[in-house]
Amino acid sequence: MIDIVPIGLIIMNTRVVTAHIPNELAEQIDQLAARLDRPKGWIVKQALTSWVALEAKRHQLTLEGMADVDAGRLVDHASIDAWATSLDKPA
């Protein structure tokens, strides 16, 4: 079912999504909603929006990394190991 929810002058199409979540997570959502004085649905929407954006960024970075590999832009293990070891040395 798709609802049309007016938000100011913007009309947003929404859809109800259900998920089974652990009780502990549900309780944390309840506590956040109470503390922030926001509906639980708002808390869940904020969390999902952030997670989806993060996953999109991870995917983009993966594609960029794979393009670097395909183009031969690589750093050998010995160079990375030497760099990591240098981080432990005092300046």
Side-chain angles (χ1 to χ4, degrees), residues 11 13 18 27-28 31 54-55 58 61 67-68 77 79 87 89:
I11 295 181
N13 290 328
T18 60
E27 290 169 9
Q28 291 173 334
Q31 292 168 2
L54 178 62
E55 284 303 310
R58 285 181 182 161
L61 291 172
D68 283 341
H77 178 75
S79 297
L87 296 176
K89 295 180 182 175

Side-chain angles (χ1 to χ4, degrees), residues 63-74:
L63 294 176
E64 290 173 13
M66 295 304 292
D68 283 341
V69 169
D70 290 345
R73 292 185 294 268
L74 305 169

Side-chain angles (χ1 to χ4, degrees), residues 15-55:
R15 185 171 67 174
V16 174
V17 177
T18 60
H20 290 271
I21 61 173
N23 286 333
E24 183 177 325
L25 180 56
E27 290 169 9
Q28 291 173 334
I29 291 169
D30 292 341
Q31 292 168 2
L32 275 172
R35 190 181 79 214
L36 298 175
D37 194 25
R38 293 287 195 158
K40 289 183 275 188
W42 184 88
I43 302 294
V44 172
K45 185 174 82 171
Q46 293 296 112
L48 284 172
T49 299
S50 294
W51 183 79
V52 167
L54 178 62
E55 284 303 310

